Amino acid sequence: MRDDNCIFCKLANGDIPTNSIYEDEMFKVILDMSPATRGHALILPKEHYKNIYEMPEDVVAAAFVLAKKMAIKMTDALGAEGFNLVQNNNEVAGQTVFHFHIHLIPRYSDDNQKIGWKPGSPSAEELAELRLDLLVVAILQDII
């Protein structure tokens, strides 16, 4: 299903012209209009999903398989020295357009970008408690 008010739905489905570099029945990959680095692109599903939480698992899997293939091809074609795959969910995590997308960001030694976080330093006890909390959730929801 598409959202007629979603800019990424319009881009993914050809309602707005893009600099598309790949397209299939499920996804369109376009160059980012405000790139972090040379070649920065976005994988956009043609169906509307606000974020990863709303997506069927098979669509998530297909998106990340495509991301790997694009990263390999783009690294080679652009002479990139590394690659970031970035996928944000919800505003607090940096999502600004609420249509699932994956950033494909080729990296170069001189690109002056800093994509990362400040590492924390939890105690061994905090990690053990967190692990138990997450295992309980996984077991209760039949994840494992």
Side-chain angles (χ1 to χ4, degrees):
M1 182 185 316
R2 290 178 51 184
D3 178 342
D4 292 333
N5 297 315
C6 174
I7 186 76
F8 277 11
C9 280
K10 292 175 183 178
L11 293 168
N13 290 285
D15 299 334
I16 298 173
T18 64
N19 288 303
S20 176
I21 58 173
Y22 175 83
E23 184 172 4
D24 62 25
E25 65 281 348
M26 292 177 66
F27 303 100
K28 185 179 259 190
V29 181
I30 65 170
L31 292 177
D32 194 297
M33 295 292 293
S34 300
T37 65
R38 182 174 161 268
H40 179 172
L42 303 172
I43 295 177
L44 306 175
K46 292 183 176 181
E47 296 292 322
H48 183 79
Y49 306 101
K50 179 181 175 186
N51 51 42
I52 200 168
Y53 307 119
E54 294 186 356
M55 293 176 69
E57 289 181 3
D58 62 323
V59 179
V60 173
F64 280 94
V65 167
L66 177 57
K68 177 186 177 186
K69 290 177 180 180
M70 293 299 301
I72 291 167
K73 297 294 186 183
M74 292 171 70
T75 296
D76 184 50
L78 298 168
E81 300 164 65
F83 214 91
N84 287 113
L85 299 175
V86 178
Q87 200 286 303
N88 303 316
N89 296 282
N90 293 334
E91 188 173 352
V92 70
Q95 186 177 13
T96 58
V97 177
F98 296 93
H99 178 112
F100 174 91
H101 55 287
I102 302 172
H103 292 265
L104 304 170
I105 307 173
R107 298 305 303 272
Y108 311 92
S109 59
D110 61 351
D111 66 24
N112 295 314
Q113 288 294 335
K114 302 289 184 237
I115 300 172
W117 52 88
K118 180 181 174 186
S121 55
S123 69
E125 293 80 18
E126 289 171 314
L127 288 175
E129 184 179 325
L130 178 61
R131 178 180 176 269
L132 287 176
D133 290 346
L134 292 173
L135 283 174
V136 168
V137 169
I139 290 167
L140 291 175
Q141 295 184 5
D142 292 325
I143 295 172
I144 57 174

